[in-house]
Amino acid sequence: MTPKEMVVTLRDRYADEIETILERYPAEQKRSAVMPLIFMAQREEGYITGSAIDEIAELLDIASTQVVSIVGFYTLFYANPGGMHRIQICTDLPCALRGADEFAEQVCENLGVKLGETTDDGQFTVEAVMCLAACDKAPMFQVQNSSGLTYYECQSADDVNVLVKELRTSPDDLDETVSG
Ligand code: FES
Protein backbone atom coordinates (compact mmCIF):
# COMPACT_ATOMS: atom_id res chain seq x y z
CA MET A 1 0.00 0.00 0.00
CA THR A 2 1.47 3.41 -0.92
CA PRO A 3 1.45 6.27 1.65
CA LYS A 4 -1.17 8.07 -0.47
CA GLU A 5 -3.53 5.09 -0.26
CA MET A 6 -3.17 5.10 3.54
CA VAL A 7 -4.50 8.66 3.95
CA VAL A 8 -7.82 8.62 5.79
CA THR A 9 -10.10 11.27 4.36
CA LEU A 10 -12.93 13.13 6.05
CA ARG A 11 -15.29 11.15 3.85
CA ASP A 12 -13.81 7.93 5.21
CA ARG A 13 -14.23 9.03 8.80
CA TYR A 14 -17.38 11.11 8.77
CA ALA A 15 -19.45 10.04 5.78
CA ASP A 16 -22.77 10.10 7.66
CA GLU A 17 -22.07 13.36 9.40
CA ILE A 18 -21.03 15.03 6.16
CA GLU A 19 -24.23 13.88 4.53
CA THR A 20 -26.31 15.18 7.44
CA ILE A 21 -24.57 18.57 7.28
CA LEU A 22 -24.97 18.88 3.51
CA GLU A 23 -28.66 17.94 3.72
CA ARG A 24 -29.31 21.11 5.73
CA TYR A 25 -28.58 23.29 2.71
CA PRO A 26 -30.04 23.49 -0.80
CA ALA A 27 -27.66 21.87 -3.32
CA GLU A 28 -27.01 25.20 -5.03
CA GLN A 29 -26.11 26.75 -1.65
CA LYS A 30 -23.97 23.94 -0.33
CA ARG A 31 -21.07 26.31 0.24
CA SER A 32 -23.02 27.46 3.30
CA ALA A 33 -21.97 24.19 4.93
CA VAL A 34 -18.37 25.36 5.12
CA MET A 35 -18.37 26.31 8.82
CA PRO A 36 -19.97 23.13 10.19
CA LEU A 37 -17.62 21.09 8.01
CA ILE A 38 -14.58 22.95 9.30
CA PHE A 39 -15.83 22.50 12.86
CA MET A 40 -16.28 18.78 12.26
CA ALA A 41 -12.84 18.42 10.66
CA GLN A 42 -11.16 20.25 13.51
CA ARG A 43 -12.79 18.24 16.26
CA GLU A 44 -10.37 15.35 16.42
CA GLU A 45 -6.98 16.95 15.84
CA GLY A 46 -7.76 20.31 17.44
CA TYR A 47 -6.87 22.06 14.19
CA ILE A 48 -7.70 21.77 10.54
CA THR A 49 -5.13 20.13 8.32
CA GLY A 50 -4.24 21.17 4.79
CA SER A 51 -5.76 18.01 3.38
CA ALA A 52 -9.01 18.62 5.27
CA ILE A 53 -9.14 22.14 3.85
CA ASP A 54 -8.74 20.76 0.33
CA GLU A 55 -11.34 18.10 0.92
CA ILE A 56 -13.91 20.56 2.26
CA ALA A 57 -13.29 22.81 -0.74
CA GLU A 58 -13.82 19.86 -3.03
CA LEU A 59 -17.03 18.81 -1.24
CA LEU A 60 -18.45 22.32 -1.61
CA ASP A 61 -17.09 23.18 -5.06
CA ILE A 62 -15.20 26.19 -3.78
CA ALA A 63 -11.53 27.13 -3.78
CA SER A 64 -9.28 25.94 -0.95
CA THR A 65 -8.28 29.58 -0.41
CA GLN A 66 -11.89 30.36 0.50
CA VAL A 67 -11.82 27.71 3.21
CA VAL A 68 -8.43 29.00 4.38
CA SER A 69 -9.78 32.55 4.65
CA ILE A 70 -12.65 31.38 6.87
CA VAL A 71 -10.31 29.36 9.09
CA GLY A 72 -8.09 32.44 9.39
CA PHE A 73 -10.94 34.83 10.19
CA TYR A 74 -12.52 33.07 13.15
CA THR A 75 -10.73 32.69 16.48
CA LEU A 76 -12.34 29.29 17.02
CA PHE A 77 -10.78 27.70 13.95
CA TYR A 78 -7.12 26.74 13.83
CA ALA A 79 -4.76 26.09 10.97
CA ASN A 80 -1.98 24.84 13.25
CA PRO A 81 -1.71 22.38 16.10
CA GLY A 82 -1.82 23.85 19.59
CA GLY A 83 -2.09 22.94 23.24
CA MET A 84 -4.90 21.05 24.89
CA HIS A 85 -6.17 24.40 26.20
CA ARG A 86 -6.01 27.55 24.12
CA ILE A 87 -5.91 30.67 26.26
CA GLN A 88 -7.08 33.46 23.96
CA ILE A 89 -6.49 36.90 25.39
CA CYS A 90 -8.20 39.88 23.81
CA THR A 91 -5.58 42.54 23.12
CA ASP A 92 -7.78 44.67 20.90
CA LEU A 93 -7.69 48.43 21.57
CA PRO A 94 -10.38 48.79 24.28
CA CYS A 95 -8.86 45.89 26.21
CA ALA A 96 -5.34 47.19 25.60
CA LEU A 97 -6.42 50.45 27.26
CA ARG A 98 -7.30 48.38 30.33
CA GLY A 99 -3.91 46.67 30.46
CA ALA A 100 -4.45 43.63 28.24
CA ASP A 101 -0.97 43.75 26.70
CA GLU A 102 0.78 43.74 30.06
CA PHE A 103 -1.58 41.03 31.25
CA ALA A 104 -0.82 38.86 28.20
CA GLU A 105 2.90 39.40 28.73
CA GLN A 106 2.64 38.31 32.36
CA VAL A 107 0.56 35.23 31.51
CA CYS A 108 3.11 34.24 28.88
CA GLU A 109 6.01 34.80 31.25
CA ASN A 110 4.36 32.66 33.94
CA LEU A 111 3.82 29.84 31.45
CA GLY A 112 7.28 30.23 29.90
CA VAL A 113 6.02 30.90 26.38
CA LYS A 114 5.62 33.75 23.92
CA LEU A 115 2.29 34.67 22.36
CA GLY A 116 1.32 31.99 19.87
CA GLU A 117 3.48 29.36 21.55
CA THR A 118 2.57 26.19 23.41
CA THR A 119 3.97 25.06 26.75
CA ASP A 120 6.50 22.22 26.61
CA ASP A 121 3.99 19.79 28.10
CA GLY A 122 1.57 20.51 25.23
CA GLN A 123 -1.11 21.73 27.64
CA PHE A 124 -1.46 25.46 26.99
CA THR A 125 -1.24 27.71 23.96
CA VAL A 126 -1.49 31.46 24.60
CA GLU A 127 -2.86 33.59 21.79
CA ALA A 128 -3.75 37.24 21.29
CA VAL A 129 -7.14 37.68 19.63
CA MET A 130 -9.42 40.47 18.53
CA CYS A 131 -12.54 41.68 20.34
CA LEU A 132 -14.44 39.00 22.25
CA ALA A 133 -17.31 41.31 23.14
CA ALA A 134 -16.44 41.90 26.79
CA CYS A 135 -14.56 45.15 26.27
CA ASP A 136 -15.46 46.65 29.65
CA LYS A 137 -14.25 43.57 31.51
CA ALA A 138 -10.60 43.46 30.51
CA PRO A 139 -8.25 41.89 31.12
CA MET A 140 -10.34 39.08 29.69
CA PHE A 141 -9.77 35.91 27.74
CA GLN A 142 -11.48 32.76 26.67
CA VAL A 143 -10.25 29.21 27.06
CA GLN A 144 -11.05 26.78 24.31
CA ASN A 145 -10.61 23.07 24.90
CA SER A 146 -12.45 19.81 24.45
CA SER A 147 -15.08 20.98 26.99
CA GLY A 148 -15.97 23.93 24.77
CA LEU A 149 -15.46 27.59 25.43
CA THR A 150 -15.20 29.42 28.75
CA TYR A 151 -15.02 33.18 29.28
CA TYR A 152 -12.89 34.77 31.99
CA GLU A 153 -13.45 38.44 32.76
CA CYS A 154 -11.68 41.04 34.95
CA GLN A 155 -8.76 38.70 35.45
CA SER A 156 -5.29 39.07 36.90
CA ALA A 157 -2.18 37.04 36.09
CA ASP A 158 -2.57 35.41 39.52
CA ASP A 159 -6.10 34.33 38.57
CA VAL A 160 -4.62 32.66 35.50
CA ASN A 161 -2.07 30.83 37.62
CA VAL A 162 -4.91 29.39 39.70
CA LEU A 163 -6.84 28.46 36.57
CA VAL A 164 -3.81 26.79 34.99
CA LYS A 165 -3.40 24.68 38.11
CA GLU A 166 -7.09 23.72 38.00
CA LEU A 167 -6.95 22.84 34.32
CA ARG A 168 -3.95 20.64 34.86
CA THR A 169 -5.80 18.67 37.52
CA SER A 170 -9.45 18.73 36.34
CA PRO A 171 -9.60 19.91 32.73
CA ASP A 172 -13.34 19.24 32.29
CA ASP A 173 -14.59 21.17 35.28
CA LEU A 174 -15.18 24.66 33.87
CA ASP A 175 -17.97 27.20 34.29
CA GLU A 176 -19.20 29.09 31.23
CA THR A 177 -18.18 32.56 32.37
CA VAL A 178 -15.94 33.50 35.26
CA SER A 179 -15.57 37.04 36.54
CA GLY A 180 -12.75 38.05 38.82
S1 FES B 1 -11.82 44.84 22.75
FE1 FES B 1 -11.43 43.16 24.07
S2 FES B 1 -13.34 42.26 24.35
FE2 FES B 1 -13.73 43.92 23.03
Side-chain angles (χ1 to χ4, degrees):
M1 191 178 281
T2 67
K4 192 171 176 28
E5 286 169 326
M6 288 167 61
V7 171
V8 180
T9 66
L10 294 177
R11 276 170 282 215
D12 294 331
R13 275 190 291 182
Y14 305 115
D16 292 346
E17 192 170 345
I18 290 171
E19 201 181 313
T20 304
I21 291 171
L22 291 176
E23 276 171 0
R24 289 188 208 138
Y25 305 92
E28 69 279 9
Q29 296 293 336
K30 65 178 179 178
R31 60 172 46 210
S32 302
V34 67
M35 295 206 5
L37 287 176
I38 293 171
F39 186 73
M40 178 201 74
Q42 176 175 276
R43 198 169 50 213
E44 225 163 281
E45 313 279 354
Y47 75 105
I48 180 151
T49 61
S51 59
I53 283 173
D54 291 341
E55 198 179 343
I56 290 171
E58 199 184 313
L59 279 166
L60 303 179
D61 292 327
I62 59 179
S64 294
T65 50
Q66 290 175 282
V67 183
V68 170
S69 67
I70 290 167
V71 171
F73 182 78
Y74 290 97
T75 56
L76 301 183
F77 293 145
Y78 303 105
N80 296 301
M84 194 179 292
H85 310 282
R86 290 182 186 263
I87 299 175
Q88 299 182 311
I89 302 169
C90 174
T91 56
D92 220 344
L93 184 59
C95 283
L97 293 173
R98 288 174 56 98
D101 287 327
E102 295 78 7
F103 170 75
E105 213 171 286
Q106 192 61 57
V107 169
C108 284
E109 194 179 313
N110 291 347
L111 283 168
V113 295
K114 295 197 174 82
L115 278 175
E117 289 183 352
T118 301
T119 53
D120 288 341
D121 61 3
Q123 291 267 315
F124 299 94
T125 300
V126 186
E127 297 169 330
V129 298
M130 304 296 276
C131 185
L132 294 173
C135 320
D136 59 328
K137 301 197 172 62
M140 67 81 56
F141 58 93
Q142 62 186 11
V143 174
Q144 193 184 5
N145 56 26
S146 59
S147 309
L149 198 60
T150 311
Y151 255 45
Y152 294 84
E153 300 168 340
C154 302
Q155 296 287 292
S156 69
D158 287 342
D159 292 330
V160 181
N161 286 339
V162 173
L163 171 66
V164 163
K165 211 181 251 182
E166 282 171 10
L167 287 172
R168 285 193 201 278
T169 50
S170 50
D172 298 326
D173 194 19
L174 293 177
D175 297 327
E176 275 181 16
T177 299
V178 177
S179 282

